Amino acid sequence: FFSGYAALSNEILWTRFLSLLIRNTVYTYTLTLTVILLGIVLGSVLTSGLFDRSHRRVFLFGAAQVASGIMVLSVLMLPPQTWQHWLGTTNLTTQMWMVVLILLVPSVLSGVSFPMAVRMVVDRPVHAGGGVGRMTALNTAGGIAGSLATGFLLLPHLGLQVALLSTTGMSLLIGFGAWIFVERRV
C-alpha cells in the first residue's frame, strides 16, 4: 500500500516539477507517461532476470525503496541554476532527455519494487493468484490514495518541497521498515 502511495505521489510531484521547467503539451505528458512505463517494464524485467531467485528479496525491496526516495529527492532538489537553460523549452528532443533524466531511474526502481514485494509474499506457485491479486489491490489502493492526497492536499496546502520531503520520508520508512521488521539479518 505505502509503496504504491509513494510511487504515485512521486509521479504527481514529477509532473508538477516538469511543468515548472518545460511547457506542458500533450507531448510532454506522453513523454512522461512513456518514460515511467518504460522504467517500470525495465525494472520488472531486471527483477525477473536477476533478483527473482534471490534469497535476499526483502533486502532488495528495501534497497529499491530507499534508493528511489533518495534519487527523487536529489534530482528534484537540485539548484534552480541546474535547470535554467532548459526552462520553457519547446524542443521535443530536449524535453525527452529532461524527462528521461528525471524519471527513468526512479521508475526502474519502482518496477523492481512491485515484483519483489509479490515474491516476498508468494513463495509457492499454488498461491500465486491470490498473492498477486492481494498485492495488486493493495498497491493500487495505495496509488489512488497517494495521488489524491498529493494532488489535493500536500501540493496545494504544503507546496512542492514539503510534499517531496514527505514522499521521500515515506520511501525511506518503507525501505528501513522492510529491513528492520522483515529482513532481520540487516
Side-chain angles (χ1 to χ4, degrees), residues 101-119:
L101 173 72
I102 293 170
L103 302 179
L104 188 62
V105 173
S107 297
V108 168
L109 292 169
S110 180
V112 166
S113 295
F114 185 73
M116 293 305 290
V118 170
R119 286 294 283 143

Side-chain angles (χ1 to χ4, degrees), residues 113-129:
S113 295
F114 185 73
M116 293 305 290
V118 170
R119 286 294 283 143
M120 288 185 316
V121 173
V122 178
D123 273 337
R124 295 182 26 207
V126 71
H127 297 125

Side-chain angles (χ1 to χ4, degrees), residues 14 18 32 35-36 98-108:
W14 292 330
L18 285 169
T32 302
V35 170
I36 289 170
M98 282 191 62
V99 170
V100 167
L101 173 72
I102 293 170
L103 302 179
L104 188 62
V105 173
S107 297
V108 168

Side-chain angles (χ1 to χ4, degrees), residues 146-170:
S147 61
L148 290 173
T150 301
F152 290 106
L153 297 174
L154 290 175
L155 270 175
H157 298 293
L158 301 175
L160 182 61
Q161 185 174 4
V162 173
L164 176 62
L165 291 173
S166 71
T167 60
T168 300
M170 181 172 288

Side-chain angles (χ1 to χ4, degrees), residues 24-173:
N24 255 348
T25 66
V26 70
Y27 301 117
T28 307
Y29 180 75
T30 303
L31 285 171
T32 302
L33 187 58
T34 300
V35 170
I36 289 170
L37 293 174
L38 178 65
I40 291 170
V41 167
L42 291 173
S44 296
V45 168
L46 181 69
T47 300
S48 67
L50 297 176
F51 304 132
D52 188 49
R53 297 191 198 321
S54 172
H55 296 291
R56 303 291 311 267
R57 291 182 199 116
V58 176
F59 174 77
L60 294 169
F61 171 79
Q65 291 297 309
V66 169
S68 178
I70 291 171
M71 182 70 182
V72 171
L73 179 69
S74 62
V75 169
L76 296 189
M77 293 300 286
L78 286 170
Q81 298 83 349
T82 306
W83 309 106
Q84 199 69 34
H85 68 282
W86 286 333
L87 288 174
T89 186
T90 57
N91 181 328
L92 197 57
T93 303
T94 304
Q95 286 182 2
M96 181 189 71
W97 285 113
M98 282 191 62
V99 170
V100 167
L101 173 72
I102 293 170
L103 302 179
L104 188 62
V105 173
S107 297
V108 168
L109 292 169
S110 180
V112 166
S113 295
F114 185 73
M116 293 305 290
V118 170
R119 286 294 283 143
M120 288 185 316
V121 173
V122 178
D123 273 337
R124 295 182 26 207
V126 71
H127 297 125
V132 170
R134 279 190 303 279
M135 293 300 286
T136 301
L138 284 170
N139 189 265
T140 303
I144 292 168
S147 61
L148 290 173
T150 301
F152 290 106
L153 297 174
L154 290 175
L155 270 175
H157 298 293
L158 301 175
L160 182 61
Q161 185 174 4
V162 173
L164 176 62
L165 291 173
S166 71
T167 60
T168 300
M170 181 172 288
S171 292
L172 294 175
L173 286 173

